[in-house]
Amino acid sequence: MTYEVYDDVITLRLIKEACRMLNVSEEAVLKLFGEYFFSFCKMSGYDRMLRTLGGNLMEFIENLDALHSYLALSYQAMNAPSFRVEKRADKSMLLHYYSDRHGLCHIVPGIIESVAKDFFDSDVTMEILNQTEEEERTGKKEHVVFLVLQKFRQPTKKTNEKTGTEAAIQQNQPEELDTAVQKISTKCSSSSSGQVLKKSYWDIVRSVVKFGKGSLLHSFEPVYPQQLWVEERVFCNAFPFHIVFDKELKVKQAGVNIQKYVPGLQTMAISIDDYFTIIHPEITFTISSICKFINSQFVLKTRREMMPESWKKQPMLKLRGQMTWMESIQCMIYLCSPKLRSLQELEERQMHISDIAQHDTTRDLILLNQQRLAEIELSNQLERKKEELRILSKNLEIEKKKTETLLYAMLPKHVANQLKEGKKVEAGEFKACTILFSDVVTFTNICAACEPIQIVTMLNSMYSKFDRLTSIHEVYKVETIGDAYMVVGGVPVPVASHAERVANFALGMRLAAREVMSPITGEPIQIRVGMHTGPVLAGVVGDKMPRYCLFGDTVNTASRMESHGVPDKIHLSPTAFRALQNKTFEIVKRGEIEVKGKGKMTTYFLIQNLHATENEIMGRSENYTALVNDIHQNASNRSICGNSLSDGEDPKKAEESPLEENSTINSKLCLLL
């Protein structure tokens, strides 16, 4: 989220995880992050703003605090670091980095090196000279001193030639300018009438600029008046927010409006630190500390206890501006403006736009930022809605998958997809498939003797096992009606091995049914299974609760095989027998029987798959049987230990033994599950 404030703990966790995954140091990751952050800021629309901060690297760094102060108008909770630069005699720089966010100082070299390379066509190397807790700054802020060495890149040959020409022009400029000044002075000192025309110094300079060749910027030197042509009253009104104080911090002068909102300043010889605290940079209120950060932007805040009683409940006034040391009079002047973000803050301090000087851009800044804050709030709302939509979309996708899973359990996948798209599902003819029916032996008697919930529990246990087997053997479950269970192989996706798949499924059904107990007798239930192979027609019938149904005589014959079957046997029709003949199955002939509606038919019983174990049929691990036998053996041994003790055996030890055995059995059961 763009305007969300994230804790540094999250950042440091991300860095540590990146270090672990990439096998690099935290310093390297942070430096790369600094390089990327600079690119990200440029891509985010701050490119021009960054380029205009300064004409060289030192000026750029000196103005970073001012940039952070401006950005704080939009990012109110931003906790930015502070920078101070010292120029050394060998042309290297000392960069002082202050921050109360520990562990992030290695981002700075990545940013500064990228800035030097992109904006100033130079290479920079940085190393840490000192890293301490700065006692001078309140709250013991982290203070890191970097040694910065800047090396400018060599220009191309063409550039060298051009630079040489410019240098020659600049070298000849003083002579040309002197000659031009002399000619103009002579010209202006006399006229045809013989009268002397007095021309001011500034007129001469203007003429030089107009007629001279080359640029004066390279040799510009400012000119100062011998005395300041400003009245004291006018100055205090023109700069309504300013304070002049001496080395002892005694206030010597103050603007009219700062006197208005800090009444105590009208008393002469009071100390400025009695009424103000320095918010930024976070230093002690002394002249020496201020001089160290003289190039920084200073933010002062009024002390609540020094304000009139009626003002103490309203927000305190903050001033933002520049400190300048006046050596000749040994005083510091603080030129400032109220630090305000919006019209609401202006009203809270009972101020008006008219209190701010007309030349002060704070007027425009407040009005522009008011609009900016409205845009930020709108952006925040949009981002929050976007995040809510993302979460809803994610939850919707989860629910959609659940719905699709349920739908695919009721209908074949390709059929369900066609119905979702609103298409009509055409009936399909399948020339060869194998259909299986099964039912529970004496199900009617069980229903008559049990509660409905017992019947539901029994059927659910049995059908859950059967459903698992359909996935293992890749057969399609058509439907269940009461105790009847119907599956088909080769539909809806035709496969040549449809008969083998259904046969293996039938063998698994028989094994699974033995694990389900009858609620009447407590013994395993028995099922009858019938199979038949032949052609069918398949399609979706109905608009409400549509079902994928099979039609044709093959369905009827398969049902007859089940109804004419024998408990715990798998009954095969002649066509099903032929489909499985010469395969890996053991089949025995039942003989000729009378089948209702079909006449006499020679049928068969499926006994087993000669090349597949029970575990393979049931889709279990090969270790399953060994684990079960082991558990039964341990249980048997425990029973023996519980009934008799060997000579000299401690009864207490024997009592503890079953518990140890139980632990072993439980662990093996967990492995089995």
Side-chain angles (χ1 to χ4, degrees):
M1 303 287 285
T2 305
Y3 297 99
E4 183 73 21
V5 179
Y6 294 98
D7 198 300
D8 284 343
V9 174
I10 299 173
T11 306
L12 294 174
R13 282 173 55 195
L14 287 170
I15 291 165
K16 287 182 179 178
E17 188 64 18
C19 294
R20 186 188 65 79
M21 293 180 67
L22 301 174
N23 195 25
V24 295
S25 65
E26 287 189 17
E27 181 179 344
V29 172
L30 285 168
K31 184 176 179 181
L32 286 170
F33 174 72
E35 293 175 6
Y36 176 76
F37 182 71
F38 172 67
S39 301
F40 174 78
C41 290
K42 291 204 303 177
M43 290 187 295
S44 301
Y46 294 100
D47 184 26
R48 183 171 294 176
M49 185 183 295
L50 291 171
R51 285 183 184 276
T52 55
L53 273 187
N56 55 51
L57 185 60
M58 185 172 179
E59 291 177 356
F60 178 90
I61 298 172
E62 285 177 339
N63 284 280
L64 279 177
D65 282 14
L67 175 63
H68 290 153
S69 178
Y70 166 74
L71 293 176
L73 296 173
S74 300
Y75 303 90
Q76 192 171 10
M78 183 175 71
N79 186 7
S82 182
F83 297 94
R84 179 167 67 89
V85 189
E86 292 181 30
K87 193 79 171 178
R88 304 176 80 186
D90 59 357
K91 296 186 178 180
S92 63
M93 291 182 285
L94 291 181
L95 171 58
H96 295 261
Y97 164 85
Y98 301 89
S99 176
D100 56 0
R101 301 164 65 185
H102 293 273
L104 301 178
C105 64
H106 295 292
I107 294 176
V108 177
I111 296 176
I112 299 300
E113 289 177 17
S114 298
V115 168
K117 189 180 296 182
D118 195 337
F119 290 170
F120 305 111
D121 196 27
S122 60
D123 295 317
V124 162
T125 56
M126 298 179 64
E127 62 174 297
I128 295 178
L129 294 182
N130 190 21
Q131 187 170 0
T132 60
E133 293 289 338
E134 182 64 55
E135 297 292 340
E136 186 184 62
R137 293 163 63 80
T138 58
K140 288 190 174 181
K141 307 300 181 183
E142 184 179 42
H143 178 197
V144 182
V145 181
F146 293 94
L147 174 63
V148 183
L149 299 175
Q150 186 178 15
K151 184 179 180 181
F152 289 93
R153 296 174 181 174
Q154 291 295 330
T156 60
K157 187 175 181 181
K158 185 174 179 182
T159 309
N160 283 334
E161 292 173 359
K162 184 177 179 183
T163 307
T165 306
E166 289 179 351
I169 292 173
Q170 291 175 12
Q171 191 175 358
N172 294 330
Q173 269 185 357
E175 291 184 17
E176 294 179 2
L177 288 176
D178 290 341
T179 305
V181 170
Q182 288 177 5
K183 287 182 178 179
I184 294 170
S185 299
T186 304
K187 201 172 187 180
C188 295
S189 62
S190 60
S191 66
S192 57
S193 60
Q195 295 179 347
V196 178
L197 298 176
K198 292 185 179 180
K199 198 156 188 174
S200 70
Y201 174 82
W202 294 110
D203 289 336
I204 296 174
V205 173
R206 288 192 194 96
S207 300
V208 172
V209 174
K210 184 175 181 181
F211 296 106
K213 296 180 180 179
S215 174
L216 274 177
L217 292 177
H218 298 289
S219 57
F220 171 76
E221 290 185 6
V223 176
Y224 300 102
Q226 293 181 355
Q227 67 179 59
L228 189 63
W229 295 89
V230 179
E231 293 180 358
E232 292 84 350
R233 183 184 296 271
V234 172
F235 187 87
C236 290
N237 281 287
F239 298 94
F241 290 93
H242 81 274
I243 306 175
V244 177
F245 54 94
D246 60 14
K247 280 186 174 183
E248 286 73 35
L249 305 181
K250 300 296 183 182
V251 175
K252 299 295 184 181
Q253 178 180 315
V256 292
N257 284 341
I258 203 169
Q259 297 176 37
K260 177 181 177 183
Y261 292 103
V262 187
L265 293 180
Q266 291 182 319
T267 306
M268 291 297 104
I270 58 108
S271 294
I272 186 173
D273 58 338
D274 290 340
Y275 285 86
F276 293 94
T277 57
I278 299 179
I279 303 299
H280 179 83
E282 295 182 17
I283 56 175
T284 54
F285 214 137
T286 63
I287 291 294
S288 59
S289 297
I290 293 172
C291 287
K292 281 185 182 179
F293 291 84
I294 199 70
N295 292 318
S296 299
Q297 191 176 65
F298 281 79
V299 178
L300 271 58
K301 182 180 179 181
T302 54
R303 293 183 181 272
R304 191 176 297 274
E305 65 271 15
M306 301 302 291
M307 293 295 103
E309 196 64 35
S310 59
W311 292 8
K312 288 184 178 180
K313 293 183 180 180
Q314 69 186 41
M316 292 295 98
L317 175 65
K318 287 183 181 179
L319 300 173
R320 177 180 58 197
Q322 173 187 2
M323 294 279 188
T324 303
W325 176 247
M326 297 179 287
E327 184 66 29
S328 60
I329 59 174
Q330 293 290 292
C331 285
M332 186 77 72
I333 182 170
Y334 179 48
L335 292 170
C336 56
S337 300
K339 186 181 180 185
L340 302 169
R341 297 178 68 247
S342 63
L343 295 174
Q344 180 182 350
E345 292 185 1
L346 191 75
E347 292 175 342
E348 287 173 351
R349 288 157 182 78
Q350 299 182 5
M351 298 180 70
H352 302 86
I353 292 288
S354 58
D355 292 328
I356 303 170
Q358 292 187 6
H359 61 79
D360 194 340
T361 55
T362 305
R363 282 171 166 250
D364 301 327
L365 194 61
I366 294 172
L367 297 174
L368 288 172
N369 202 55
Q370 183 71 27
Q371 181 181 357
R372 171 68 174 158
L373 290 173
E375 292 173 356
I376 289 174
E377 180 58 29
L378 180 60
S379 176
N380 284 334
Q381 291 178 11
L382 289 174
E383 284 198 337
R384 285 194 293 268
K385 291 297 181 184
K386 181 181 176 181
E387 183 65 13
E388 290 173 7
L389 286 174
R390 188 189 66 79
I391 295 171
L392 287 174
S393 178
K394 184 178 178 181
N395 293 336
L396 181 63
E397 191 64 28
I398 293 171
E399 295 301 321
K400 182 183 176 183
K401 287 182 179 178
K402 290 180 182 178
T403 305
E404 287 179 347
T405 303
L406 181 62
L407 184 61
Y408 294 154
M410 299 171 63
L411 294 168
K413 190 171 182 178
H414 74 281
V415 172
N417 290 335
Q418 288 182 16
L419 290 175
K420 283 198 303 181
E421 293 170 4
K423 297 179 181 178
K424 186 177 180 181
V425 181
E426 299 290 339
E429 183 178 356
F430 298 85
K431 294 183 178 180
C433 70
T434 300
I435 298 176
L436 176 148
F437 278 94
S438 74
D439 72 342
V440 178
V441 178
T442 67
F443 182 71
T444 305
N445 297 336
I446 294 173
C447 289
C450 296
E451 294 292 329
I453 188 64
Q454 293 176 296
I455 304 300
V456 172
T457 303
M458 181 193 73
L459 290 177
N460 183 60
S461 175
M462 183 177 68
Y463 287 163
S464 296
K465 296 177 185 295
F466 292 173
D467 291 345
R468 175 178 167 273
L469 290 171
T470 60
S471 300
I472 293 170
H473 298 290
E474 296 180 330
V475 294
Y476 178 69
K477 176 184 174 182
V478 181
E479 61 182 349
T480 57
I481 302 175
D483 64 325
Y485 195 92
M486 178 183 177
V487 301
V488 61
V491 176
V493 180
V495 288
S497 59
H498 54 85
E500 294 96 306
R501 294 186 183 192
V502 175
N504 285 323
F505 174 77
L507 293 170
M509 287 181 77
R510 190 171 60 181
L511 294 171
R514 293 170 186 169
E515 299 174 0
V516 181
M517 303 302 163
S518 169
I520 298 177
T521 63
E523 298 293 326
I525 63 172
Q526 290 185 320
I527 61 172
R528 280 188 299 264
V529 181
M531 289 172 53
H532 177 62
T533 300
V536 295
L537 189 70
V540 177
V541 292
D543 294 326
K544 291 186 178 180
M545 295 183 66
R547 297 295 300 172
Y548 189 70
C549 298
L550 307 181
F551 302 94
D553 187 60
T554 302
V555 180
N556 298 329
T557 305
S559 179
R560 293 287 182 263
M561 290 298 100
E562 175 266 317
S563 60
H564 289 74
V566 178
D568 205 32
K569 295 287 185 180
I570 301 169
H571 197 199
L572 304 179
S573 69
T575 55
F577 167 72
R578 286 193 293 272
L580 296 174
Q581 197 174 15
N582 300 324
K583 298 292 177 26
T584 60
F585 298 95
E586 180 186 350
I587 301 173
V588 297
K589 186 176 180 180
R590 180 183 184 183
E592 193 174 68
I593 63 170
E594 184 72 28
V595 178
K596 182 180 179 181
K598 297 294 179 182
K600 293 186 177 185
M601 294 178 66
T602 301
T603 59
Y604 304 83
F605 288 128
L606 174 63
I607 305 302
Q608 64 178 335
N609 187 330
L610 298 173
H611 291 178
T613 64
E614 285 189 4
N615 289 337
E616 290 174 343
I617 293 293
M618 296 297 291
R620 296 169 179 156
S621 168
E622 287 300 324
N623 296 327
Y624 178 85
T625 305
L627 284 169
V628 171
N629 292 336
D630 192 14
I631 290 169
H632 285 307
Q633 183 65 37
N634 286 334
S636 176
N637 293 340
R638 190 179 69 231
S639 177
I640 294 170
C641 290
N643 292 332
S644 62
L645 295 173
S646 60
D647 293 340
E649 187 175 0
D650 187 358
K652 291 184 178 179
K653 187 177 180 181
E655 289 175 3
E656 292 172 358
S657 179
L659 295 176
E660 294 174 1
E661 295 294 334
N662 274 337
S663 177
T664 305
I665 291 170
N666 288 337
S667 64
K668 290 180 178 179
L669 279 172
C670 289
L671 178 61
L672 174 62
L673 293 174

